[in-house]
Amino acid sequence: MIKKRIGIINYGMGNIHSVYNALLSLGIESIVTNNKKELHSCDAFILPGVGAFPNAIKNLLKLDLVDEIKNQVLNKNKNILGICLGMQLFADYSEEGEFNEGLSLIPGKVIDLSRKITYRVPHIGWNSLLINANSPLFEGIPEKQDFYFVHRYYFDCHKKYILANTSYEMMVTSVINHNNIYGVQFHPERSHNTGIKLLYNFTQLENK
Amino acid sequence: MLKKRLIACLLIKDNLIVQSVGFNNYYPIGNPSFSIEFISRWDVDEIILLDITPKSERVKRDYTQLKLFIKKCFIPITFGGGISCIEDVNEIIKSGADRISINSNAINSPVLVEQIARIYGEQCIVTSIDYKIEKNGDKTVYSNSGTKNTGLSLLDWAKKCESLGSGEILLNSIDRDGKGQGYDIDTIKEVSSSVNIPVIACGGVGKFSDFSEAILKGGASAAAAANIFHYVEHSTIIAKANMLKSGVNIRLNKIAQYSDRKFDKNGRLIMLDNDQLEKADWAIRDKNAILY
């Protein structure tokens, strides 16, 4: 097992603790921080998220983290995993609440599911992945394993960035990847053994 | 495809898991950390943790305790009980819960629901509704642990909850609570067909086959219960195996063999005696069950 310094970005919104505990169960003592110096010392990042998009981006700006995250990811090429709202923050913009710009790390937009489908929204519960492209992120995870979803908005982007979809009346983007940037719509830290395995796979990814 | 869910409701009083009988008698079950760790490993889809310590007896809530209780829980967890302001929600989410459940305070101040939805998103709020069927057949919402008649009609309030920004409704029948006679299927059907957010059925489960009824006949997205899961090994796995058999699309990862085991009249597993335990073959273990 490759031991890396994993930084969980604390911007006052996420369920930081559950991600921290999940990593701890793997024997990884991660660093929960919003301090730039500490971020600098990390090898990879997790951007967690429970919350609404407008507040999240406001907090990132207030903590002056937007440029720092971009610097670490785009210039230093460190891996980052966005979870749920964390992944949606990678988009160009979101229509949640009012129009808000995102981090523009992966081209795409965040759209209200209820505008597209008639099924019950939010999409809450365990649902399986339809894998589009192989990735070391899925290593050792059998097909049709379920992950826990809880969201009202989804990431709409070009299919070249989509590693996996999830079927809920339409194809909902569930795993995205662009170079060293990864995002999952579900909560791996809440998806029992399979989710923990996926988190483990992320911590073992080589830096590109 | 989205699976239906089996949810365990765990009640906490004075930092102990308790079993409630008729909303007024409480039997202690034990330390929350252990109950939560075990239940979360037995393939249940979600845990709803409700702190039922009365307001008058509650000193300032201790969030370090909550953090400790859910430390080894790797499935979704919703926390409720006396949430009265946005600061409470901040602390709960920070402690590691994924969602919050709100009941009387949603009725007292609907604006709180809107506020939570704005900051944490609609998916974060489960509005819990306790109702009774009156003598004339009206379905009325009760607050304060089922003691206060609010005069609100059940369907009107359910729709109001949706428009305020609730992401889900936890529907609890006071009449059936702790009776073990099965869910109130008609009402579950009425509520789930009048809103477009998921509905969790709760109250009345007596046997494991009741869960499937709430989903197949009532149209609920999830079935919840409390008392039936206590005291029995692997209770939630057996409940789910039962649901799968009746045609409910549900997640079941554990490959547990129960073909040679005995069950009680409610379908619960009867424990092995010491003699049988000694003879058990501990080598049989599914590799996928221990991925990490």
Side-chain angles (χ1 to χ4, degrees):
Chain A
M1 177 169 156
I2 314 161
K3 284 258 182 187
K4 280 190 188 172
R5 280 173 73 85
I6 308 286
I8 300 175
I9 302 172
N10 180 5
Y11 58 106
M13 293 289 294
N15 49 346
I16 308 284
H17 228 77
S18 51
V19 179
Y20 177 83
N21 286 336
L23 290 175
L24 200 61
S25 80
L26 290 166
I28 298 168
E29 180 98 47
S30 54
I31 299 143
V32 178
T33 184
N34 52 30
N35 175 299
K36 285 185 199 167
K37 241 190 199 153
E38 282 195 307
L39 287 176
H40 215 76
S41 74
C42 294
D43 306 313
F45 302 99
I46 292 179
L47 189 62
V50 168
F53 196 99
N55 261 63
I57 203 77
K58 224 179 282 166
N59 282 11
L60 283 176
L61 286 167
K62 206 161 65 190
L63 292 163
D64 197 20
L65 286 173
V66 172
D67 291 334
E68 189 54 32
I69 293 173
K70 285 188 177 177
N71 175 40
Q72 295 291 335
V73 173
L74 298 176
N75 301 332
K76 309 246 191 275
N77 280 321
K78 292 181 186 173
N79 294 329
I80 187 166
L81 176 71
I83 297 175
C84 196
L85 175 67
M87 147 170 152
Q88 296 183 355
L89 288 167
F90 294 164
D92 293 320
Y93 67 87
S94 165
E95 58 173 39
E96 182 170 3
E98 63 268 47
F99 176 92
N100 275 288
E101 280 186 21
L103 297 170
S104 292
L105 287 173
I106 295 185
K109 51 191 190 251
V110 178
I111 288 179
D112 189 346
L113 264 177
S114 70
R115 288 211 289 120
K116 302 274 177 177
I117 60 172
T118 59
Y119 279 20
R120 288 174 201 272
V121 173
H123 174 215
I124 302 179
W126 298 74
N127 206 332
S128 49
L129 303 186
L130 302 162
I131 294 171
N132 264 356
N134 263 330
S135 163
L137 210 55
F138 301 135
E139 206 189 294
I141 295 176
E143 280 243 43
K144 290 186 181 163
Q145 284 290 309
D146 293 311
F147 292 89
Y148 183 74
F149 289 80
V150 52
H151 64 118
R152 189 196 170 96
Y153 294 82
Y154 80 101
F155 200 112
D156 183 31
C157 65
H158 192 279
K159 67 169 190 267
K160 69 178 175 189
Y161 302 120
I162 299 177
L163 290 184
N165 276 312
T166 291
S167 156
Y168 191 59
E169 195 178 330
M170 60 178 263
M171 282 298 167
V172 179
T173 313
S174 46
V175 186
I176 54 172
N177 167 229
H178 180 41
N179 301 328
N180 52 331
I181 304 158
Y182 295 82
V184 289
Q185 181 58 66
F186 50 84
H187 287 271
E189 78 281 11
R190 284 296 185 235
S191 300
H192 211 234
N193 292 355
T194 327
I196 305 280
K197 172 74 174 146
L198 188 134
L199 277 179
Y200 173 79
N201 288 347
F202 172 74
T203 65
Q204 300 301 298
L205 289 176
E206 277 173 42
N207 278 56
K208 278 177 187 159
Chain B
M1 203 177 154
L2 184 68
K3 312 293 181 296
K4 301 297 178 189
R5 282 169 287 153
L6 178 72
I7 298 178
C9 280
L10 300 177
L11 306 179
I12 288 192
K13 193 171 183 287
D14 306 322
N15 289 328
L16 274 184
I17 298 273
V18 295
Q19 178 177 6
S20 145
V21 177
F23 271 88
N24 50 29
N25 281 316
Y26 302 103
Y27 302 137
I29 301 285
N31 182 320
S33 315
F34 298 139
S35 296
I36 292 169
E37 189 185 347
F38 274 97
I39 293 234
S40 84
R41 285 180 181 204
W42 292 344
D43 244 6
V44 77
D45 295 309
E46 200 166 329
I47 291 175
I48 299 181
L49 198 58
L50 296 173
D51 185 352
I52 55 163
T53 313
K55 208 172 167 184
S56 50
E57 292 171 25
R58 187 185 295 147
V59 223
K60 202 174 171 296
R61 182 176 276 139
D62 190 354
Y63 291 102
T64 29
Q65 289 279 12
L66 177 62
K67 253 185 214 173
L68 214 63
F69 294 160
I70 61 185
K71 194 172 175 186
K72 288 190 177 160
C73 175
F74 301 118
I75 59 163
I77 193 142
T78 299
F79 183 84
I83 296 171
S84 59
C85 57
I86 194 77
E87 286 74 27
D88 287 341
V89 181
N90 292 343
E91 288 300 321
I92 290 163
I93 299 292
K94 235 190 267 168
S95 305
D98 303 282
R99 303 198 285 161
I100 59 99
S101 165
I102 181 167
N103 190 329
S104 305
N105 286 325
I107 299 165
N108 301 338
S109 82
V111 73
L112 180 61
V113 178
E114 290 177 307
Q115 194 188 8
I116 302 169
R118 200 164 54 240
I119 297 174
Y120 284 99
E122 297 177 356
Q123 85 294 332
C124 192
I125 310 169
V126 181
T127 308
S128 166
I129 305 178
D130 297 336
Y131 72 95
K132 265 186 201 173
I133 301 179
E134 310 293 348
K135 284 201 182 89
N136 63 3
D138 285 353
K139 293 170 182 172
T140 327
V141 178
Y142 279 69
S143 71
N144 300 55
S145 304
T147 55
K148 192 175 149 199
N149 185 339
T150 64
L152 289 164
S153 123
L154 174 62
L155 283 190
D156 290 348
W157 176 238
K159 285 182 204 159
K160 183 78 196 286
C161 288
E162 181 179 20
S163 69
L164 286 171
S166 299
E168 196 157 40
I169 287 172
L170 173 63
L171 189 63
N172 191 32
S173 161
I174 298 172
D175 304 321
R176 303 223 169 199
D177 189 79
K179 298 264 165 55
Q181 293 162 346
Y183 289 113
D184 175 5
I185 300 294
D186 292 340
T187 310
I188 295 167
K189 207 168 169 179
E190 245 179 283
V191 174
S192 69
S193 57
S194 60
V195 294
N196 198 37
I197 52 178
V199 173
I200 306 168
C202 193
V205 171
K207 40 188 198 309
F208 284 145
S209 56
D210 291 336
F211 293 118
S212 313
E213 301 259 300
I215 286 164
L216 299 174
K217 292 192 184 150
S221 298
N227 297 346
I228 196 170
F229 297 132
H230 294 309
Y231 306 120
V232 179
E233 291 278 321
H234 286 195
S235 52
T236 50
I237 303 177
I238 296 164
K240 290 182 91 172
N242 199 310
M243 291 168 86
L244 208 59
K245 227 187 203 168
S246 11
V248 178
N249 180 20
I250 200 155
R251 183 185 67 102
L252 188 63
N253 281 336
K254 290 280 185 303
I255 306 163
Q257 298 277 336
Y258 291 119
S259 46
D260 56 344
R261 296 292 297 274
K262 289 201 178 91
F263 297 90
D264 70 9
K265 65 178 188 334
N266 294 325
R268 297 193 291 195
L269 192 67
I270 293 170
M271 280 183 165
L272 292 173
D273 58 35
N274 286 341
D275 231 30
Q276 290 166 302
L277 273 175
E278 261 173 37
K279 284 184 214 141
D281 182 4
W282 296 106
I284 302 171
R285 190 173 282 196
D286 175 37
K287 241 199 303 191
N288 286 325
I290 357 167
L291 272 171
Y292 61 95

